[in-house]
Amino acid sequence: MLSESQRHTIDQHVQQWIHQMSQEIPELIQQIQTDTKSSRFDLVTNVDRTIESRFEQFLKTHYPDHHLYGEEAHHETHHLREGHTWLIDPIDGTANLVKQQDDFCMIIGYFFDGEPQLSYIYDYPRQKLYRAVKGSGAFLNDIRMQPVTPQSLKDKIISFNNRVLNDETMHALLDASFGYRLIGACGLDSARVMTGQFGAHIHTNAKPWDIAAQFLFAQELGLKMTDFEQQPIDFVHGGPFIISNPGCYETILDILLSNGGYQK
Ligand code: IPD
Ligand code: CA
Ligand code: CA
């Protein structure tokens, strides 16, 4: 068991690290170097790599027995379910960083024995730190976030990655909701759901680091977060993912599972 005071100490420490990292980010962006990974749309930069390696150093120095699972260089999945485990997406929305210098964030999730303990989504361009602490709630720059009020899909804006949804499903979702917006960074699209601005964010193939922080925010803010069969998502594997206002959730899943749904 992790005590409340242990959790609090680690939280303070990580916040300090994020603050320190934020001082280095402008210089990293100034010297940005971009490479492609699996396709011309799949980008990585020195900013992504440096942040992840700085976080590795932070853990090695202060918490040497903690495990790290990160997008860029830490893919070992053994032992993630036992003891202390950290997941990091150093830059979520790298394409936005490269093409717009806006709308990207850092995602960090801390788990103990497979249970989420601390979560961070750091919106660097807007200087907004979303933070969740197990049992204590969620905060935006230290101001407590309120649990969302259930609202129907017809009144809410939703977001999803339109490349993979079948046309009919996409149009049915557009018709049933108030409207559609996509930021293009899973952490920031999810944050809009956490603040009640969006009704839901859907990602048909989320990687563990894309959604590492969202588990605890969903728990603390009364949101639904499951796969499309209403089953819990395994934090080590990721997969189809919806984070939703409880008032929109079932209507969205009904639509998503009809009309041929999406391409895997
Ligand atoms: C991407 C973003 C994007 C999502 C992609 C992710 P990255 O993360 O979250 O919104 O649609 O599937 O890979 O690659 O910028 O960390
Ligand atoms: Ca990502
Ligand atoms: Ca990334």
Side-chain angles (χ1 to χ4, degrees), residues 132-143:
V133 180
K134 185 185 176 187
S136 302
F139 306 84
L140 170 50
N141 289 347
D142 286 335
I143 295 172

Side-chain angles (χ1 to χ4, degrees), residues 21-154:
M21 199 64 245
S22 76
Q23 317 282 307
E24 282 190 51
I25 289 177
E27 199 178 327
L28 292 172
I29 293 178
Q30 249 179 9
Q31 301 162 352
I32 198 158
Q33 285 177 348
T34 307
D35 296 317
T36 50
K37 296 198 275 187
S38 59
S39 74
R40 74 185 185 91
F41 302 112
D42 190 6
L43 307 178
V44 64
T45 75
N46 56 312
V47 188
D48 308 51
R49 292 194 175 114
T50 307
I51 293 174
E52 187 166 319
S53 101
R54 290 276 197 284
F55 193 65
E56 178 191 12
Q57 285 161 20
F58 167 77
L59 290 183
K60 275 199 175 138
T61 308
H62 302 285
Y63 304 100
D65 60 330
H66 290 202
H67 306 291
L68 175 61
Y69 189 33
E71 177 172 16
E72 304 308 337
H74 300 88
H75 294 160
E76 176 59 66
T77 55
H78 285 118
H79 313 300
L80 294 182
R81 293 176 207 284
E82 295 109 47
H84 305 270
T85 292
W86 294 85
L87 269 68
I88 185 167
D89 189 341
I91 295 286
D92 180 50
T94 301
N96 285 345
L97 166 63
V98 173
K99 300 291 177 191
Q100 314 191 76
Q101 297 76 54
D102 204 350
D103 293 330
F104 56 91
C105 64
M106 189 190 301
I107 300 176
I108 298 176
Y110 168 53
F111 297 76
F112 181 73
D113 283 350
E115 291 293 322
Q117 305 290 328
L118 295 169
S119 280
Y120 307 85
I121 296 179
Y122 179 45
D123 177 344
Y124 170 78
R126 286 171 188 71
Q127 291 292 300
K128 287 183 178 176
L129 176 63
Y130 301 87
R131 180 170 64 92
V133 180
K134 185 185 176 187
S136 302
F139 306 84
L140 170 50
N141 289 347
D142 286 335
I143 295 172
R144 181 177 289 281
M145 296 171 73
Q146 296 307 315
V148 298
T149 310
Q151 280 180 285
S152 354
L153 182 58
K154 68 176 177 32

Side-chain angles (χ1 to χ4, degrees), residues 153 156-162 165 170 173-174 177-193 197-204 228 241-244 248 252 256:
L153 182 58
K156 299 299 286 179
I157 290 172
I158 57 169
S159 79
F160 48 84
N161 186 336
N162 47 23
L165 288 187
M170 207 164 68
L173 283 171
L174 295 178
S177 63
F178 182 83
Y180 169 80
R181 308 281 185 278
L182 178 71
I183 299 173
C186 188
L188 296 181
D189 281 288
S190 301
R192 292 279 165 109
V193 184
Q197 292 166 286
F198 284 4
H201 177 58
I202 302 160
H203 192 316
T204 55
F228 303 155
F241 153 83
I242 176 169
I243 186 164
S244 178
C248 303
I252 292 178
L256 207 54

